[in-house]
């Protein structure tokens, strides 16, 4: 790790986040001016660490499921068997992305009730779209000569998919997963409004009791988390991309 | 031997290959020439079943090519294309070794083959083995592409405009390399191009296609002397005809006893080169060196004249 | 089954048609509408034949059957679109009829809402419509015509009173003045922040394209802002804006507050900046070198080059940014309700709080509709402004 400005910023942000989550009391003097005279400054109805972990678990579970389904579907419609569904699936993704995440979240409640479930469903459904779209773009925009060569030298459809097409589409697929994670982190935050245990709880509690200290606390943790995860996934993507530029 | 027998292909009601029949002798280079849309690439791709034929049969050494699975067939036949189609995420060694791996050669045997081919294509193995395709020049990429096609020691090599993306100087070197490689491995090569000069340079036999039909199939000399129709004549180029004939003949074929002055000419040179030399130096005859290095014979403008004359 | 396999191979049966037919069959068999004693209790489902008078139920079954058969056996675009439109219109008309049929007379508390069966049928035949339209690949003008026709039919249905007995419409009737106020606030937030972002983002994009030194910094910063979850950004902005309102003279007078529309507006504006700037840079960077050189060679000043050559060529990419921002803002504006910013989100979150699904729908459906409408309109505009027609999918 070089000692460059971006790396210093990363380290600072990570440190700040860790202090906020593991030892929130140390931040009290900083947040004190934001709270009203005798209101609590640090959110204590639940441990911030456990909320953070639940927040992350929700996003990870939904993203893993969305990745498996979306990549599977994209492979299906990009093969000859599923080619019939290709134009439709493109329009569906286009339409699907106009659905705001909040609407998906709110509409899931009547079906499955309050709690973690509607949040997971909204995260999963909304996470499908960018991953599906990117996987499809990745698989259908590969250089023709390469695909032709893979068949021409005698690879079976499956060998071509696993050895050539998916590895080459990987950076684009990763970009889709990154988008999906970022949207997921945001949607999980809103999930608190339907009683999911996530970091959004801190912000909502602050808004309801007019306690700016809670709001800022929650906002900084969620924001910092999102920025760090985004940064990490971008680095992963760059690494995957380095090999295949041609 | 490859026998293409009454083969047709129809796409959306349009016949792109129309009842083509031709037989390709083993250990020769056959060049299929035609304009774009003539069906030449489709015909080539039907041999290794990248495209399935709609009528007729293709037999490889007497065996119908539909009797085995498409991908197994393709592993036995080399395939090289324009823009090389190298896998960008694999090293040069991985690219060349891909078919041997598919058919289960051991690691040692594959490695040896990769090194042998790299040396043969004048790409020092230590330098190239772990490079990625984007780190190679266009000419190097093209050579790796052909090396990959030859890695599993196929009897037959199909090439679709393999030199199309190269600039003229590298291109003519690649053509010479191909001739040398073909001699080395005795591979049967079928090559598709739209470039008539390339066809004359490489071919033992040329097949001319237009609008899906095979117009003429014969040696380069037959094509020049007896073009089947106006299209073949135009493809060859009316004003090029005498020079094409001369480019195919060697000096040794027209030497006669006698003496001449000035620099001597190699008997292996083409008659076109001899003509050019004599025109440039203003001589009507030139001495020819015998294989032993002595001047024993000469070549005259008269003999080249006779040789370059078509039908009257 | 060699026979059915053969049918598939010859392409007589459409694969998507099979999916649609299964969904339609399941949908027709599931409860079509549900009746609740009041707006928050659990409802009771009614199948097609108990939700509708018999002749109407038979009519709907016949229409669904016809639609499914078209989906299964006709592959041309026009019959598919026509069949889908017929089924969808029948569904729209008859769901209102079911509401009238099921609502006990003189009972103002009972609520009738569409149930699983209706939503499944709606989904199945919207799929058919989408499939037909994507097979037809209509040009932008025709797409706009379809959109206007759809909006027109929906307005007619609502104005005719056919849906008056549906629970969502009852929620609307109970707060029709508030509905339009929140609607205009929602639009003002989404469009206002878009306008501000365009006004500042496009010039900033031009500068970034010309000065590579600042490009990376600006884009990275905006990228990071974009990753911060909306509610967190809203929250983070409350404190500084609140401080401004108190300490800067005049700030309060122009509407700056810690809570309410101001932080929502600023957050939406910040989110909009990345697409605006990034696409302006990308659009200008994609202007062919030859065109720029030619413009210089002809003696254009740099302002003339920008307005007469570069902007027109970059327009489709900039319009794409506007599409992205508008759709995104319409969705995000719902969250403004959490910090007192108003908009359709008010109904969504009130509905969630009261466990009243109909109220959630009253907020969510217009949001989805508005986002969809904007996306179609802007996609059409983008296509009309592309000099090279949008690439048709290669087959």
């Amino acid at each position: 790790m070089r000692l460059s400005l971006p790396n210093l910023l990363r380290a600072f942000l990570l440190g700040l986040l860790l202090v906020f989550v593991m030892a929130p009391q140390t931040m009290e003097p900083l947040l004190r001016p934001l709270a009203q005279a005798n209101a609590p400054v640090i959110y204590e109805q639940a441990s911030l660490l456990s909320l953070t972990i639940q927040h992350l678990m929700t996003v990870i579970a939904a993203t893993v499921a969305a990745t498996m389904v979306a990549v599977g579907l994209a492979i299906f419609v990009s093969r000859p068997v599923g080619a019939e569904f290709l134009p439709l699936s493109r329009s569906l993704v286009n339409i699907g992305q106009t659905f705001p995440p909040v609407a998906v979240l709110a509409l899931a409640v009547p079906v499955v009730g309050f709690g973690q479930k509607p949040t997971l469903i909204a995260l999963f459904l909304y996470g499908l779209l960018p991953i599906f779209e990117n996987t499809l773009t990745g698989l259908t925009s590969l250089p023709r000569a390469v695909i032709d060569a893979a068949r021409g030298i005698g690879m079976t459809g499956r060998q071509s998919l696993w050895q050539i097409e998916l590895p080459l589409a990987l950076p684009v697929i990763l970009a889709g997963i990154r988008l999906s994670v970022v949207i997921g982190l945001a949607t999980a935050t809103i999930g608190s409004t339907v009683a999911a245990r996530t970091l959004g709880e801190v912000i909502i509690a602050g808004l309801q009791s007019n306690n700016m200290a809670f709001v800022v606390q929650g906002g900084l943790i969620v924001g910092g988390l999102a920025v760090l995860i985004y940064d990490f996934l971008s680095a992963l993507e760059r690494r995957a991309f380095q090999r295949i530029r041609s | 031997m490859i026998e293409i027998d009454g083969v047709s292909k129809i796409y959306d009601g349009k016949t792109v290959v129309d009842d083509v029949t031709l037989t390709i002798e083993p250990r020769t280079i056959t060049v299929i020439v035609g304009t774009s849309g003539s069906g030449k690439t489709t015909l080539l791709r039907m041999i290794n079943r990248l495209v399935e034929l709609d009528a007729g049969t293709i037999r490889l050494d007497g065996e119908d090519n539909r009797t085995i699975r498409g991908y197994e067939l393709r592993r036995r036949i080399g395939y090289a294309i324009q823009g090389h189609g190298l896998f960008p995420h694999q090293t040069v060694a991985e690219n060349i070794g891909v078919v041997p791996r598919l058919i289960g050669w051991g690691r040692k045997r594959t490695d040896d083959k990769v090194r042998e081919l790299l040396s043969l294509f004048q790409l020092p193995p230590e330098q190239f083995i772990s490079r990625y395709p984007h780190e190679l020049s266009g000419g190097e990429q093209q050579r790796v592409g052909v090396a990959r096609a030859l890695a599993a020691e196929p009897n037959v090599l199909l090439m679709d405009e393999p030199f199309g993306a190269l600039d003229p100087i590298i291109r003519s070197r690649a053509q010479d390399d191909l001739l040398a490689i073909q001699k080395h491995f005795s591979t049967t090569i079928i090559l598709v191009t739209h470039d008539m000069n390339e066809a004359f340079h490489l071919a033992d036999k040329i097949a001319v296609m237009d609008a899906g039909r095979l117009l003429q199939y014969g040696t380069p000399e037959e094509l020049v002397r007896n073009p089947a129709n106006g299209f073949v004549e135009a493809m060859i180029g009316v004003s090029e005809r005498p020079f094409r004939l001369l480019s195919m003949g060697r000096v040794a074929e027209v030497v006669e006893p006698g003496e001449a002055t000035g620099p001597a000419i190699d008997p292996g040179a083409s008659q076109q080169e001899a003509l050019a030399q004599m025109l440039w130096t203003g001589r009507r005859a030139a001495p020819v060196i015998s294989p032993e290095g002595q001047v024993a014979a000469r070549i005259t403008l008269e003999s080249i004249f006779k040789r370059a004359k078509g039908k009257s | 089954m060699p026979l059915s396999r053969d049918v598939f191979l010859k392409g007589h049966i459409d694969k998507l048609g099979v999916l649609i037919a299964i969904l339609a069959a399941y949908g027709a068999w599931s409860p079509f509408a549900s009746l609740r004693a009041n707006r928050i209790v659990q409802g009771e489902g009614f199948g097609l034949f108990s939700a509708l008078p018999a002749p109407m139920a038979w009519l709907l079954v016949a229409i669904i059957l016809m639609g499914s058969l078209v989906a299964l056996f006709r592959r041309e675009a026009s019959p598919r679109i026509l069949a889908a439109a017929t089924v969808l219109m029948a569904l729209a008309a008859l769901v209102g009829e079911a509401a009238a049929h099921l609502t006990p007379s003189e009972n103002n508390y009972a609520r009738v809402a569409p149930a699983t069966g209706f939503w499944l049928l709606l989904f199945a035949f919207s799929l058919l419509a989408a499939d037909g339209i994507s097979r037809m690949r209509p040009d932008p003008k025709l797409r706009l015509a379809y959109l206007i026709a759809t909006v027109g039919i929906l307005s007619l249905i609502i104005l005719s009173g056919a849906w008056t007995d549906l629970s969502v419409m009852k929620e609307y009737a109970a707060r029709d003045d508030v509905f339009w106020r929140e609607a205009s606030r929602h639009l003002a937030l989404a469009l206002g922040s878009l306008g501000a972002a365009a006004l500042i983002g496009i010039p900033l994009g031009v500068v970034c394209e010309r000065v590579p030194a600042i490009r990376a910094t600006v884009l990275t910063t905006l990228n990071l802002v974009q990753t911060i979850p909306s509610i967190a950004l809203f929250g983070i902005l409350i404190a500084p804006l609140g401080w401004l309102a108190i300490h800067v003279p005049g700030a309060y007078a122009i509407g700056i507050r810690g809570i309410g529309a101001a932080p929502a507006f600023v957050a939406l504006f910040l989110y909009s900046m990345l697409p605006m700037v990034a696409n302006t840079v990308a659009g200008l960077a994609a202007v062919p070198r030859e065109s720029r050189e030619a413009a210089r060679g002809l003696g254009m000043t740099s302002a003339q080059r920008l307005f007469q050559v570069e902007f027109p060529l970059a327009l489709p990419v900039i319009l794409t940014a506007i599409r992205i921002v508008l759709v995104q803002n319409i969705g995000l504006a719902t969250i403004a309700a959490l910090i007192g910013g108003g908009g359709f989100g008010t109904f969504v979150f009130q509905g969630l709080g009261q466990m009243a699904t109909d109220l959630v729908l009253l907020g969510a459906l217009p949001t989805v509709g508005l986002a969809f409408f904007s996306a179609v309109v802007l996609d059409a505009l983008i296509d009309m402004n592309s000099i090279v027609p949008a690439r048709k999918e290669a087959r």
Side-chain angles (χ1 to χ4, degrees):
Chain A
M1 268 290 142
R2 283 185 313 124
L3 204 65
S4 61
L5 183 64
N7 280 342
L8 282 175
L9 281 176
R10 281 179 192 122
F12 172 73
L13 196 57
L14 184 65
L16 195 68
L17 194 65
L18 285 177
V19 172
F20 253 112
V21 173
M22 315 282 277
Q25 296 306 336
T26 48
M27 287 295 164
E28 187 177 343
L30 276 177
L31 294 169
R32 166 59 58 196
L34 291 169
Q36 273 149 357
N38 42 17
V41 175
I42 301 299
Y43 188 74
E44 274 165 348
Q45 270 124 300
S47 111
L48 289 175
L49 182 64
S50 80
L51 284 181
T52 308
I53 290 170
Q54 287 200 23
H55 194 116
L56 288 179
M57 290 309 287
T58 307
V59 174
I60 291 170
T63 308
V64 168
T67 304
M68 290 193 308
V69 174
V71 172
L73 284 176
I75 290 174
F76 173 71
V77 299
S78 64
R79 304 297 105 182
V81 219
E84 219 170 287
F85 293 93
L86 184 62
L88 174 70
S89 63
R90 286 210 160 113
S91 350
L92 281 187
V93 168
N94 222 349
I95 297 168
Q97 272 164 343
T98 62
F99 273 65
V102 195
V104 180
L105 187 67
L107 294 177
V109 172
V111 186
V112 296
F114 282 86
Q116 217 75 12
K117 267 199 222 154
T119 313
L120 277 171
I121 288 178
L123 252 66
F124 168 75
L125 285 179
Y126 213 78
L128 284 175
L129 301 175
I131 304 177
F132 176 82
E133 188 177 33
N134 276 35
T135 308
L136 195 58
T137 309
L139 288 177
T140 52
S141 61
L142 295 173
R144 280 195 66 161
V146 172
I147 301 309
D148 194 44
R151 271 192 74 204
I153 63 169
M155 286 191 174
T156 60
R158 187 172 297 211
Q159 285 167 334
S160 166
L161 177 68
W162 285 103
Q163 298 180 22
I164 308 300
E165 298 171 53
L166 282 177
L168 288 178
L170 187 64
V172 192
I173 299 175
L174 282 178
I177 295 177
R178 173 170 53 91
L179 273 175
S180 168
V181 168
V182 167
I183 297 170
L185 283 166
T187 311
T189 317
I190 310 166
S192 305
T193 58
V194 295
R197 307 294 321 265
T198 70
L199 285 165
E201 190 178 308
V202 185
I203 304 175
I204 306 277
L207 289 172
Q208 278 165 353
S209 60
N210 205 11
N211 185 335
M212 280 307 114
F214 285 2
V215 173
V216 169
Q217 211 172 125
L220 285 179
I221 297 177
V222 174
L225 209 56
V227 167
L228 282 174
I229 290 174
Y230 173 88
D231 185 54
F232 170 74
L233 291 176
S234 306
L236 215 63
E237 211 176 297
R238 278 195 298 275
R239 178 168 287 204
F241 193 67
Q242 258 167 15
R243 279 195 147 191
I244 63 155
R245 70 213 136 114
S246 47
Chain B
M1 189 161 72
I2 301 169
E3 295 159 276
I4 297 172
D5 190 359
V7 162
S8 296
K9 179 72 197 176
I10 299 157
Y11 278 125
D12 298 332
K14 191 172 169 285
T15 308
V16 289
V17 172
D18 189 0
D19 194 18
V20 170
T21 299
L22 67 132
T23 301
I24 290 156
E25 295 300 326
R27 291 177 287 284
T28 61
I29 300 184
T30 300
V31 177
I32 308 174
V33 204
T35 50
S36 59
S38 61
K40 56 186 193 302
T41 295
T42 309
L43 182 64
L44 185 83
R45 291 161 69 93
M46 285 194 285
I47 297 174
N48 68 357
R49 286 180 53 204
L50 279 174
V51 173
E52 298 289 351
L53 45 74
D54 289 327
T57 49
I58 296 178
R59 286 182 297 276
L60 305 170
D61 294 328
E63 191 187 3
D64 189 326
N65 74 348
R66 281 168 297 184
T67 52
I68 59 171
R69 285 170 189 271
Y71 60 85
E72 280 169 8
L73 175 77
R74 291 192 278 274
R75 289 172 188 177
R76 290 194 210 161
I77 298 177
Y79 184 62
I81 52 177
Q82 176 171 16
H84 62 73
L86 294 178
F87 303 139
H89 61 308
Q90 297 186 347
T91 62
V92 166
E94 287 168 333
N95 263 291
I96 297 178
V98 64
V99 186
R101 276 203 309 278
L102 288 176
I103 57 179
W105 282 17
R107 160 172 281 225
K108 172 84 174 70
R109 188 172 167 205
T110 308
D111 280 358
D112 290 347
K113 189 71 198 177
V114 168
R115 285 172 182 277
E116 179 201 333
L117 282 165
L118 281 173
S119 312
L120 200 65
F121 280 92
Q122 289 137 45
L123 302 164
E126 314 70 50
Q127 250 179 57
F128 282 89
I129 226 157
S130 53
R131 287 209 203 162
Y132 283 93
H134 66 89
E135 299 168 323
L136 307 179
S137 72
E140 288 163 351
Q141 288 174 340
Q142 192 274 335
R143 277 181 273 166
V144 174
V146 179
R148 178 174 70 181
L150 291 169
E153 300 172 352
N155 290 327
V156 177
L157 171 59
L158 307 180
M159 307 182 90
D160 189 0
E161 305 247 4
F163 310 123
L166 303 179
D167 63 54
I169 292 176
I170 298 175
R171 187 177 187 149
S172 98
R173 211 196 116 184
Q175 290 166 352
D176 289 338
D177 285 350
L178 185 68
L179 288 170
I181 296 285
Q182 194 266 340
K183 284 218 171 63
H184 183 92
F185 289 115
S186 305
T187 315
T188 308
I189 296 179
I190 305 168
L191 185 146
V192 158
T193 183
H194 61 264
D195 176 355
M196 207 29 125
N197 290 328
E198 186 164 284
F200 273 92
H201 187 147
L202 297 173
D204 293 311
K205 275 191 149 185
I206 296 178
V208 182
M209 287 187 70
D210 183 46
R213 304 195 70 100
L214 177 65
L215 297 182
Q216 191 167 13
Y217 178 50
T219 63
E221 184 162 351
E222 282 166 20
L223 258 66
V224 178
R225 291 199 183 280
N226 298 304
N229 59 21
F231 183 85
V232 177
E233 206 167 60
M235 281 290 284
I236 291 165
V238 176
S239 59
E240 293 283 323
R241 285 179 300 188
F243 306 110
R244 294 232 190 265
L245 286 177
L246 291 177
S247 75
M248 290 178 285
R250 304 287 118 192
V251 168
E253 293 161 22
V254 288
V255 286
E256 53 184 57
E259 307 224 328
T261 52
I265 292 172
D266 188 274
S270 75
Q271 293 163 6
Q272 191 179 11
E273 287 169 68
L275 173 67
Q277 273 231 21
M278 286 188 281
L279 288 176
W280 191 247
T281 52
R283 291 177 290 167
R284 297 189 156 270
V288 176
I289 319 161
S290 76
E292 293 79 39
Q294 303 136 335
V295 178
R298 63 174 187 173
I299 179 169
T300 61
L301 214 46
E302 196 60 26
S303 61
I304 290 181
F305 228 78
K306 260 189 232 152
R307 168 75 194 168
K309 185 171 174 295
K311 54 186 175 183
S312 42
Chain C
M1 286 186 292
L3 188 80
S4 64
R5 195 181 150 73
D6 205 43
V7 169
F8 269 102
L9 286 178
K10 284 184 182 159
H12 289 313
I13 288 191
D14 185 85
K15 286 181 202 153
L16 178 71
V18 175
L19 180 66
I20 289 173
I22 292 172
L23 279 173
Y26 188 66
W29 178 75
S30 308
F32 185 68
S34 71
L35 172 67
R36 284 164 302 163
N38 62 52
R39 64 197 280 264
I40 52 177
V41 296
Q42 280 286 323
E44 181 195 352
F46 287 86
L48 266 184
F49 284 88
S50 38
L52 286 169
M56 288 191 185
W58 280 115
L59 179 66
L60 187 56
V61 167
I63 291 176
I64 291 169
L65 196 64
M66 178 277 305
S68 307
L69 288 176
V70 171
L72 281 169
F73 298 108
R74 297 296 297 269
R75 319 189 92 188
E76 308 88 333
S78 326
R80 288 172 91 85
I81 297 175
L82 195 67
T86 313
V87 179
L88 291 175
M89 278 199 276
L91 280 174
L94 290 176
V95 76
E97 195 52 44
H101 185 67
L102 284 177
T103 309
S105 52
E106 304 298 317
N107 182 341
N108 277 332
Y109 298 106
R111 294 296 160 103
V112 179
T116 332
F118 171 83
W119 295 116
L120 278 175
L121 288 167
L122 183 71
F123 176 68
F125 288 96
S126 304
L127 266 186
L128 185 62
D131 179 57
I133 292 174
S134 51
R135 281 184 198 203
M136 182 187 245
R137 297 180 191 159
D139 65 18
K141 280 186 194 132
L142 189 56
R143 294 206 304 262
L144 285 182
Y146 279 144
L147 182 68
I148 291 168
T150 311
V151 173
I153 290 172
L154 280 177
S155 320
L156 272 181
I157 291 176
I158 292 173
L159 290 176
S160 74
W163 283 353
T164 312
D165 289 319
L166 275 179
S167 53
V168 180
M169 292 309 286
K170 288 195 169 166
E171 293 289 341
Y172 167 73
R175 43 177 77 70
D176 56 346
D177 51 334
V178 187
F179 180 86
W180 292 108
R181 196 184 72 211
E182 298 302 351
S184 60
R185 288 185 86 174
H186 199 103
L187 272 179
L189 266 181
L191 290 173
S193 56
L194 165 69
L199 223 54
I200 298 176
I202 295 176
L204 184 58
V206 174
V207 174
C208 282
E209 204 263 329
R210 264 138 229 238
V211 191
I214 64 162
R215 189 188 309 153
T217 318
V218 170
L219 289 179
T220 313
T221 313
L222 291 177
N223 238 317
L224 290 182
V225 170
Q226 189 91 4
T227 59
I228 299 176
S230 45
I231 182 172
L233 187 59
F234 286 153
I236 295 170
L237 285 170
I238 291 176
L241 287 174
W243 187 87
L244 273 183
I246 298 167
H247 294 92
V248 174
Y252 190 87
I254 60 166
I256 292 179
R257 308 277 191 285
I259 283 278
F265 185 91
V266 175
L268 291 185
F269 164 78
L270 288 176
Y271 282 135
S272 312
M273 285 296 278
L274 177 70
M276 290 311 314
V277 177
N279 277 32
T280 307
V281 171
L284 292 176
V287 172
R289 213 189 148 72
E290 301 78 30
S291 310
R292 291 174 187 242
E293 297 281 302
R296 277 174 61 124
L298 292 171
M300 289 188 180
T301 65
S302 89
Q304 285 167 333
R305 290 204 304 272
L306 181 64
F307 287 105
Q308 293 178 26
V309 179
E310 297 175 29
F311 265 143
L313 287 174
L315 189 62
V317 188
I318 298 175
L319 279 175
T320 307
I322 293 182
R323 177 216 196 267
I324 295 170
V325 167
L326 188 55
V327 170
Q328 173 184 294
N329 281 5
I330 289 173
L332 286 175
T334 35
I335 299 171
L338 281 178
I339 52 168
F344 287 128
T346 317
F347 304 127
V348 174
F349 292 115
Q350 267 179 22
L352 283 173
Q354 303 169 6
M355 309 236 263
T357 308
D358 304 322
L359 192 50
V360 171
L361 282 176
L362 184 65
L365 291 180
T367 313
V368 171
L370 207 55
F372 181 68
F373 180 86
S374 320
V376 175
V377 171
L378 276 162
D379 278 339
L381 277 181
I382 293 167
D383 277 6
M384 286 182 208
N385 279 289
S386 304
I387 297 144
V388 188
R391 192 168 54 103
K392 301 248 165 166
E393 277 157 31
R395 278 227 50 190

